[in-house]
């Protein structure tokens, strides 16, 4: 009985809350990646009654941005609940002097930088997100979801380089070592991805290399998004969930009125009224969607997972530090890989999941190197004789470092 009490004492409300946030991030992060790949492999009857695979990167981007836009009403609903609770508690400190809590102004220091509430600023990094998300989904068509997830780790290389060039942020020696290990890991993962067969698909080596290249190139664009966000959004007075929501709003509008019409006009293999067909026919996408109940279900899971993953991502950011989030991202990639292997084991004749082959050991080795590069880059594992700036204030250190994990505010 005494042991039970000790165990119960460990699970304080704070610990339970952290476990809840972590499990939510892992479950919905895994569901987002897996459902992305499953959608691309599903067959449906579309325009002209032609049956084909639902290889629709532009449609997936629309679904992602619409899901992110749903974060906006959730954020405003949370604000209303907070105001209601504050009203019930009463205005505490209403009789206090106006500047009682503002020591900066009382001491005659310079006023703080004026914050902007203009949500249109979010549209600029949203353009980067739109292009990166669509390109990486095109790449996912030709590679497994585990390779896709690991290749996204290349973003740290580009974000560190862009931050060095445009934000004049130095790259320390130990971070350079981490980046070199990251490059080596990505080469191993890319080779393994080119050799491991994709279930239900006859993919050539060229197509696999192209898929890997598209994913890596998309991370260059996403790194540009991070740098742009840091430059433009540093004085934006909006909560993180509102920024995600407005990014979803502008992304949805850009997809509907700009990207999808262009995709319809550009020649491609998607069936349409154009004589040369289209890169992607959005009308065909909706015909497929309403013709297939499983596709509706998979799309619904994807959209809900994107929304929940972004919400949990915001909660994780408030509760855990950068070191924890680095480890969580590695655990998420592991979960995605395990689920993919289980799917193939349960349904060996299906086009879903991922084979385990001799090349998978090379992929596993590359993944271990990715984790090693992450913990070295973030200073978790320290290399002897290298300088680590131990006396640097924590806030300044967090602001001066480029995260090695992919940005989680983009939905996927």
């Amino acid at each position: 009985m005494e042991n039970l009490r000790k165990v119960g004492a460990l699970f304080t409300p704070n610990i339970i809350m952290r476990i809840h946030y972590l499990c939510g991030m892992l479950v919905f992060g895994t569901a987002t990646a897996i459902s992305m790949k499953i959608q691309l492999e599903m067959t449906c009857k579309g325009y002209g009654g032609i049956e084909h695979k639902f290889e629709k990167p532009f449609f997936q981007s629309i679904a992602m941005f619409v899901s992110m836009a749903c974060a906006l009403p959730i954020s405003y609903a949370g604000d209303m609940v907070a105001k209601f609770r504050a009203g019930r508690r009463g205005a505490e400190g209403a009789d206090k002097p106006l500047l009682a809590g503002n020591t900066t102004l009382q001491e005659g220091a310079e006023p703080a930088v004026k914050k902007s509430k203009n949500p249109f600023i979010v549209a600029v990094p949203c353009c980067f997100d739109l292009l990166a998300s669509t390109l990486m989904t095109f790449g996912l068509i030709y590679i497994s979801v585990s390779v896709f997830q690991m290749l996204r780790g290349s973003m740290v290389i580009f974000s560190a380089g862009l931050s060095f060039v445009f934000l004049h942020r130095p790259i320390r020696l130990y971070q350079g070592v981490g980046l070199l290990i990251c490059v080596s890991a990505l080469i191993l993962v890319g080779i393994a991805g080119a050799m491991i067969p994709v279930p239900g698909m006859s993919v050539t080596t060229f197509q696999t290399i192209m898929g890997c290249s598209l994913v890596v190139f998309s991370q260059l664009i996403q790194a540009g998004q991070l740098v742009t966000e840091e430059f433009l959004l540093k004085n934006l007075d909006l909560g993180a969930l509102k920024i995600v929501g407005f990014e979803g709003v502008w992304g949805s509008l850009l997809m509907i009125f700009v990207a999808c019409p262009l995709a319809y006009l550009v020649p491609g293999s998607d069936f349409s009224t154009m004589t040369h067909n289209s890169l992607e026919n959005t009308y065909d996408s909706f015909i497929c969607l309403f013709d297939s109940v499983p596709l509706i279900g998979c799309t619904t899971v994807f959209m809900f997972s994107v929304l929940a993953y972004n919400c949990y991502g915001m909660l994780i950011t408030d509760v855990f530090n950068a070191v924890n989030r680095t480890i969580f991202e590695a655990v998420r990639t592991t979960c995605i890989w395990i689920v993919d292997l289980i799917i193939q084991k349960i349904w060996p004749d299906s086009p879903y999941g991922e084979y385990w082959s001799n090349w998978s050991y090379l992929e596993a080795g590359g993944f271990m190197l990715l984790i090693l590069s992450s913990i070295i880059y973030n200073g978790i594992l320290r290399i002897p004789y290298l300088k680590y700036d131990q006396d640097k204030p924590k806030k300044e250190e967090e602001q001066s470092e480029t995260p090695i994990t992919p940005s989680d505010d983009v939905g996927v």
Side-chain angles (χ1 to χ4, degrees):
M1 198 67 175
E2 185 65 27
N3 290 334
L4 288 175
R5 287 199 190 96
K6 289 180 179 179
V7 172
L10 292 176
F11 290 94
T12 62
N14 186 43
I15 295 295
I16 293 174
M17 178 189 69
R18 287 169 176 253
I19 294 174
H20 169 218
Y21 292 169
L22 174 59
C23 291
M25 191 198 78
L26 291 178
V27 169
F28 292 111
T30 302
T32 298
I34 296 293
S35 59
M36 277 179 69
K37 182 63 174 178
I38 290 178
Q39 282 183 83
L40 296 172
E41 295 296 328
M42 297 185 81
T43 56
C44 58
K45 189 175 291 185
Y47 179 79
I50 300 172
E51 189 169 305
H52 58 85
K53 284 191 175 184
F54 193 74
E55 296 175 346
K56 304 284 189 176
F58 284 85
F59 179 83
Q60 282 202 13
S61 293
I62 293 175
M64 183 194 75
F65 282 122
V66 170
S67 301
M68 292 169 65
C70 293
L72 208 53
I74 293 175
S75 179
Y76 282 116
D79 292 344
M80 291 175 63
V81 171
K83 288 180 181 178
F84 176 75
R85 288 178 176 175
R88 291 190 63 179
R89 286 196 300 265
E92 295 181 6
D95 298 329
K96 292 180 181 179
L98 183 62
L99 299 178
N102 196 337
T103 55
T104 303
L105 291 180
Q106 285 181 345
E107 294 170 2
E110 292 184 5
V113 177
K114 187 177 180 181
K115 298 284 187 178
S116 169
K117 291 183 177 291
N118 183 7
F120 289 98
I121 300 175
V122 183
V124 179
C126 177
C127 294
F128 287 87
D129 193 6
L130 184 153
L131 186 56
S133 301
T134 306
L135 281 177
M136 74 169 72
T137 310
F138 270 110
L140 181 58
I141 294 174
Y142 303 109
I143 60 177
S144 65
V145 68
S146 66
V147 173
F148 162 81
Q149 187 66 24
M150 292 178 199
L151 289 177
R152 292 185 65 194
S154 60
M155 187 180 67
V156 66
I157 301 170
F158 301 121
S159 59
L162 292 177
S163 297
F164 177 79
V165 173
F166 295 104
L167 301 179
H168 308 293
R169 180 174 295 159
I171 300 175
R172 299 181 182 87
L173 183 57
Y174 71 90
Q175 291 177 321
V177 173
L179 293 176
L180 288 175
I181 296 175
C182 184
V183 171
S184 304
L186 293 171
I187 292 173
L188 294 180
V189 171
I191 294 173
M195 297 300 175
I196 298 174
V198 180
M201 288 185 68
S202 179
V203 182
T204 64
T205 303
F206 172 76
Q207 287 175 321
T208 305
I209 293 173
M210 182 180 69
C212 293
S213 301
L214 285 173
V215 174
V216 173
F217 183 66
S218 73
Q219 299 313 293
L220 170 60
I221 299 170
Q222 210 151 53
Q225 177 194 352
L226 288 181
V227 174
T228 306
E229 282 180 341
E230 185 166 349
F231 182 74
L232 293 178
L233 306 186
K234 59 183 177 182
N235 294 324
L236 184 64
D237 189 18
L238 285 175
L241 207 55
K242 285 189 177 68
I243 292 176
V244 170
F246 278 115
E247 185 175 338
V249 171
W250 306 136
S252 300
L253 293 174
L254 286 169
M255 286 300 304
I256 293 169
F257 295 107
V258 179
C260 288
L262 285 175
Y264 186 80
L265 295 174
V266 173
S269 58
D270 211 11
F271 302 103
S272 71
T273 56
M274 306 293 287
T275 54
H276 50 60
N277 288 326
S278 301
L279 180 63
E280 183 168 322
N281 181 3
T282 307
Y283 177 59
D284 175 76
S285 302
F286 283 99
I287 293 176
C288 288
L289 186 67
F290 293 124
D291 181 68
S292 173
V293 174
L295 184 56
I296 292 175
C298 188
T299 304
T300 303
V301 170
F302 171 71
M303 294 180 70
F304 181 77
S305 299
V306 169
L307 174 61
Y309 182 57
N310 277 280
C311 291
Y312 277 107
M314 297 302 104
L315 297 171
I316 286 284
T317 301
D318 292 336
V319 174
F320 295 96
N321 58 30
V323 173
N324 297 140
R325 294 195 297 274
T326 299
I327 298 171
F328 296 160
E329 190 61 32
V331 174
R332 178 198 174 199
T333 303
T334 306
C335 289
I336 291 170
W337 197 3
I338 291 173
V339 170
D340 228 23
L341 292 171
I342 291 173
I343 290 174
Q344 181 57 33
K345 194 71 175 177
I346 296 174
W347 296 288
D349 297 328
S350 74
Y352 314 120
E354 180 177 346
Y355 292 122
W356 179 271
S357 70
N358 291 332
W359 290 102
S360 299
Y361 294 103
L362 183 64
E363 183 181 354
F367 179 50
M368 297 302 294
L369 281 179
L370 271 178
I371 297 175
L372 177 64
S373 69
S374 176
I375 60 178
I376 289 177
Y377 183 90
N378 287 294
I380 303 172
L381 176 64
R382 302 202 167 198
I383 302 174
Y385 310 112
L386 294 185
K387 189 176 180 182
Y388 280 86
D389 294 336
Q390 295 180 352
D391 299 329
K392 199 172 201 181
K394 185 177 180 181
K395 185 175 181 182
E396 182 184 346
E397 186 175 351
E398 287 181 356
Q399 290 176 345
S400 66
E401 300 218 353
T402 306
I404 194 165
T405 53
S407 175
D408 294 328
D409 63 346
V410 298
V412 294

